[in-house]
């Protein structure tokens, strides 16, 4: 924020004039209570040892040095030596110029300095349509990608296709079973299979393409069903994610790790580093060296590799592609897997390179009543069904309105309500309200003021200051969301900005004000509209001009 940057620079000049060095533990932040001003600093207390003076005496020296700073209206000392600063209205009014000139680029940061980050998310088994839980992870991953890019990181979004292993065999067997039932064969129901109607549709299609399917041997028929089913389901997943506004730059096949020799390559690297070894005909990861209770088998004595082996090879491949950091977005039920995967990355020489974000459960409700979901049993609300019913904007905003590791109640009926109690409606309406006001102003011959000190000076009410100070916080919100990998920071910021906008609209008349005041107020409101649009864009949510 400009206020923090200006104050830090000013304080450093003051300290330099006294011959004091800048204390590393200095904290500059907005006070919790606005009665203490706009910004507070503990610098005087951090200087006590260096200056060999009491903190309050140091604070008095610093206070006096700000007498000639026209942008600082007041400096007060509190307690043992806290310094509280109140900025002049002219400082906050300049925020309009900053936002207006930056436009869509407002909030852009160089914090990431081009650091390469890969964000891998959704990565659902291609065994059925995406459900609402996948939707929360999709919204989180896509929004995080947008935020990191805004903050100056070089980001690549990836989907890991789980196209190998037991679940794919179950998919193939499920489709073959349904094909036989469709053909009138009397076959026993498998103990473990996917039961959704989509399996029946796929079975019907695969039979049409392979008329001799039921005459093939079991293994061949299952393989055909598996591959065909995977391709159909994966294409559906891609379509659903596209409709949800979600981007993936890379679709990475788990199967390719084996066919391209990546697993063997990783095993060789682990052996060379002393973190892998052969014993009893199997290949082991020496995970006890990194705090595990036992070493983990990666390739069994029968030659089969474990899921853990594929995961290690996959992350090895990620780092070898040149990423400085990889971010995995997992379901909360994978919590116990994190230490093991962290240890594997450390064994690969990438300690600290893996960040895992957990996504907690979504309780899907309708009028307060829970809706049961189970992919295997075929009882679930697909992401497509939810988006078709409530819209992508509402779904994404609700998914991103809370921290991802907290449980979320998602009531389909509540989300559709067009009231101020609906968070996404509340924020979008702020943008639409300003657009509507601009149209009415144009009809009345009232135009937004041009940037000038005279126009800015008319933004002098407490409601103007409240809006301007919050607009100044937006770049900080973007950096905080990127640093903590928490898109909900943006959602919270936007709700607070919308609240201030609606309060401003109630207390500061625009069209009925004098012409110069009306123009100035349109100017500040257009800044609000720009920041709301920018912030919603980071969440993958539209900013409508009418509602």
């Amino acid at each position: 924020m400009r206020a923090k940057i200006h104050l830090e620079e000013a304080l450093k000049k003051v300290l330099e004039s006294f011959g004091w060095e800048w204390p590393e533990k200095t904290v500059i932040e907005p006070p919790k209570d606005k009665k203490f001003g706009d910004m507070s600093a503990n610098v005087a207390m951090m200087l006590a040892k260096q200056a060999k003076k009491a903190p309050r005496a140091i604070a008095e020296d610093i206070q006096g040095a700000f007498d000639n700073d026209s942008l600082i209206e007041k400096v007060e000392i509190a307690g043992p030596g806290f310094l509280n600063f109140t900025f002049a209205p002219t400082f906050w009014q300049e925020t309009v110029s900053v936002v207006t000139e930056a436009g869509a680029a407002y909030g852009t940061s160089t914090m990431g300095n081009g650091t390469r980050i890969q964000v891998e998310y959704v990565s659902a088994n291609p065994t059925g349509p995406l459900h609402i839980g996948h939707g929360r992870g999709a919204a989180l991953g896509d929004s995080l990608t947008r935020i990191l890019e805004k903050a100056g990181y070089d980001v690549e979004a990836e989907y890991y296709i789980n196209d190998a292993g037991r679940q794919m065999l179950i998919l193939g067997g499920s489709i073959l079973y349904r094909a036989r039932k469709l053909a009138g064969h009397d076959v026993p129901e498998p103990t473990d299979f996917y039961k959704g109607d989509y399996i029946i549709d796929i079975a019907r299609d695969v039979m049409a393409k392979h008329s001799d399917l039921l005459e093939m041997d079991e293994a061949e028929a299952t393989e055909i069903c598996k591959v065909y089913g995977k391709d159909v389901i994966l294409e559906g997943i891609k379509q659903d994610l596209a409709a949800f506004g979600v981007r993936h730059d890379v679709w990475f096949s788990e199967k390719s790790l084996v066919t391209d020799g990546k697993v063997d390559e990783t095993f060789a690297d682990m052996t060379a580093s002393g973190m892998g070894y052969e014993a009893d005909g199997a290949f082991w990861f020496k995970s006890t060296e990194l705090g595990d209770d036992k070493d983990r088998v990666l390739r069994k004595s029968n030659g089969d590799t474990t899921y853990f082996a594929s995961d290690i090879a996959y992350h090895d491949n990620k780092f070898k592609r040149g990423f400085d950091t990889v971010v995995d977005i997992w379901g909360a039920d994978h919590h116990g897997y994190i230490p093991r995967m962290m240890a594997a990355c450390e064994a690969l020489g990438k300690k600290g390179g893996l960040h895992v974000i957990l996504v907690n459960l979504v309780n899907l409700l309708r009028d307060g009543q829970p809706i049961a979901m189970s992919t295997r049993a075929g009882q679930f609300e697909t992401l497509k069904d939810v988006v078709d019913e409530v819209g992508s904007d509402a779904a994404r905003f609700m998914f991103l309105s809370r921290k991802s590791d907290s449980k979320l109640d998602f009531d389909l009926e509540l989300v559709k309500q067009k009231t101020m109690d609906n968070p996404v409606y509340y924020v979008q309406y702020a943008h639409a309200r300003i657009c509507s006001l601009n149209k009415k102003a144009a009809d009345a011959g009232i135009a937004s003021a041009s940037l000038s000190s005279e126009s800015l000076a008319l933004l002098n009410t407490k409601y103007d200051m409240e809006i301007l100070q919050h607009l100044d916080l937006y770049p900080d919100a973007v950096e905080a969301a990127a640093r903590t990998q928490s898109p909900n920071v943006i959602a919270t910021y936007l709700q607070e900005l919308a609240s201030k906008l609606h309060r401003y609209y109630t207390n500061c008349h625009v069209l009925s004000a004098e012409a110069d005041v009306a123009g100035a107020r349109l100017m500040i409101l257009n800044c609000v509209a720009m920041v709301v649009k920018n912030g919603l864009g980071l969440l993958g949510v539209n900013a409508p001009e009418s509602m």
Side-chain angles (χ1 to χ4, degrees):
M1 61 191 293
R2 289 171 52 249
K4 181 177 180 179
I5 293 170
H6 174 82
L7 183 55
E8 183 173 323
E9 290 176 349
L11 280 170
K12 284 181 176 178
K13 289 180 181 177
V14 169
L15 265 59
E16 185 179 353
S17 70
F18 285 111
W20 299 330
E21 294 183 2
W22 181 257
E24 288 185 10
K25 294 184 179 180
T26 297
V27 176
I28 301 173
E29 61 187 2
K32 293 180 180 179
D33 191 331
K34 286 297 293 179
K35 72 180 182 183
F36 294 118
D38 300 324
M39 299 294 292
S40 292
N42 67 347
V43 64
M45 290 179 287
M46 296 298 102
L47 279 167
K49 185 176 180 180
Q50 180 187 157
K52 298 179 180 179
K53 296 176 68 173
R56 195 168 181 91
I58 297 171
E60 289 171 354
D61 290 339
I62 294 174
Q63 181 186 42
F66 274 89
D67 288 344
N68 297 320
D69 190 328
S70 63
L71 295 179
I72 302 292
E73 187 175 75
K74 183 169 57 176
V75 182
E76 295 179 312
I77 303 171
F82 281 103
L83 284 159
N84 296 321
F85 299 83
T86 299
F87 283 78
T90 50
F91 177 86
W92 296 116
Q93 289 158 355
E94 188 59 29
T95 304
V96 173
S97 301
V98 174
V99 176
T100 302
E101 291 169 1
Y106 186 59
T108 300
S109 166
T110 58
M111 182 179 79
N113 196 31
T115 299
R116 292 199 68 205
I117 292 185
Q118 186 218 54
V119 183
E120 183 237 314
Y121 59 100
V122 185
S123 300
N125 292 337
T127 55
L130 297 178
H131 57 64
I132 191 171
H134 295 133
R136 189 179 191 186
L140 172 65
D142 184 71
S143 180
L144 179 58
T145 298
R146 297 169 189 241
I147 290 167
L148 289 171
E149 287 179 334
K150 192 76 169 178
Y153 293 88
D154 179 5
V155 190
E156 190 169 278
E158 183 154 308
Y159 188 114
Y160 182 53
I161 306 169
N162 294 274
D163 53 359
R166 183 169 177 270
Q167 298 306 317
M168 297 308 298
L169 290 175
I170 293 174
L171 174 66
S174 301
I175 296 170
L176 182 57
Y177 165 71
R178 287 300 188 187
R180 287 169 172 167
K181 292 291 286 185
L182 286 171
H185 293 193
D186 183 16
V187 289
E189 182 178 285
T191 55
D192 198 5
F193 75 111
Y194 294 101
K195 301 177 182 179
D197 289 343
Y198 69 97
I199 295 293
I200 298 174
D201 294 337
I202 293 172
R204 186 177 291 111
D205 290 345
V206 76
M207 287 175 69
K209 291 183 178 296
H210 298 273
S211 58
D212 59 343
L213 180 73
L214 302 184
E215 299 169 10
M216 298 177 185
D217 110 336
E218 183 91 6
E220 183 181 4
T222 300
E223 179 66 17
I224 287 174
C225 289
K226 181 186 76 173
V227 173
Y228 183 82
K230 182 263 294 184
D231 289 344
V232 169
I233 292 170
L234 187 59
E235 182 57 33
I237 287 173
K238 290 181 177 182
Q239 291 174 5
D240 290 348
L241 290 174
F244 198 41
V246 171
R247 147 198 158 198
H248 283 98
D249 303 307
V250 175
W251 295 76
F252 190 96
S253 164
E254 176 187 2
K255 190 176 180 180
S256 72
L257 290 170
V258 176
T259 57
D260 294 349
K262 299 301 182 184
V263 174
D264 290 337
E265 181 182 312
T266 297
F267 286 1
D269 290 345
M270 293 179 74
T271 300
S273 67
M275 294 306 296
Y277 64 94
E278 297 273 357
D280 302 323
F283 184 81
W284 300 77
F285 168 34
K286 197 181 290 186
S287 53
T288 50
E289 294 283 326
L290 300 171
D292 203 349
D293 59 340
K294 61 180 180 180
D295 288 350
R296 303 289 172 172
V297 64
L298 301 183
R299 185 177 59 228
K300 302 175 185 178
S301 57
N302 65 2
D304 292 341
T305 53
T306 63
Y307 284 115
F308 191 27
S310 294
D311 287 342
I312 294 175
Y314 178 43
H315 285 78
D316 188 27
N317 178 267
K318 290 184 183 189
F319 289 119
K320 285 177 177 175
R321 281 186 266 158
F323 294 108
D324 301 297
T325 301
V326 298
V327 178
D328 289 358
I329 297 179
W330 296 348
D333 56 336
H334 287 74
H335 180 271
Y337 197 56
I338 294 177
R340 197 182 305 177
M341 203 63 242
M342 292 285 192
C345 289
E346 184 176 348
L348 296 171
K350 296 295 181 179
K351 184 178 181 179
L354 170 64
H355 294 187
V356 178
I357 302 174
L358 295 178
V359 180
N360 216 321
L361 297 174
V362 177
N363 298 315
L364 188 61
L365 312 172
R366 189 180 293 280
D367 284 329
Q369 298 303 309
I371 299 173
M373 294 188 290
S374 170
T375 306
R376 192 73 60 80
Q379 298 173 341
F380 52 85
E381 287 285 342
T382 67
L383 175 61
K384 181 180 186 304
D385 289 340
V386 172
V387 171
D388 286 347
E389 182 169 349
V390 306
S392 176
D393 287 347
R396 288 186 66 127
F397 196 94
M398 290 302 294
F399 286 143
L400 299 169
S401 62
R402 299 185 63 185
K403 283 186 65 67
S404 64
D405 59 359
S406 62
K407 290 185 179 180
L408 177 68
D409 288 335
F410 191 111
D411 194 308
L412 293 168
E413 297 304 321
L414 288 177
V415 172
K416 290 189 291 185
Q417 292 181 5
K418 294 183 178 181
T419 69
M420 296 300 235
D421 293 327
N422 182 342
V424 65
Y425 182 87
Y426 189 71
V427 173
Q428 287 183 314
Y429 184 62
H431 185 269
R433 193 172 207 174
I434 295 170
C435 291
S436 174
L437 189 62
N438 273 310
K439 291 177 182 177
K440 291 178 181 177
D443 291 341
I446 302 172
S448 174
S450 57
L451 291 172
S452 67
S453 56
E454 292 79 14
S455 296
L456 294 175
L458 297 173
L459 302 172
N460 53 21
T461 71
K462 67 176 184 178
Y463 302 105
D464 289 303
M465 293 301 113
E466 186 178 61
I467 289 278
L468 292 168
Q469 289 169 13
H470 202 69
L471 290 175
D472 185 54
L473 288 173
Y474 178 67
D476 274 19
V478 175
E479 289 197 353
R483 184 172 54 255
T484 62
Q485 299 177 356
S486 304
N488 64 289
V489 170
I490 302 297
T492 299
Y493 172 88
L494 291 176
Q495 290 178 80
E496 292 171 351
L497 180 58
S499 174
K500 297 179 190 305
L501 178 279
H502 296 312
R503 184 159 55 248
Y504 186 93
Y505 189 87
T506 300
N507 291 282
C508 298
H509 297 171
V510 179
L511 301 184
S512 61
E514 294 182 7
D516 54 352
V517 173
R521 289 179 176 173
L522 281 174
M523 186 168 56
I524 191 175
L525 291 181
N526 285 332
C527 288
V528 173
M530 176 58 70
V531 173
V532 169
K533 185 175 182 179
N534 288 357
L536 286 175
L538 294 181
L539 302 181
V541 176
N542 290 303
E545 295 187 1
S546 62
M547 294 181 72

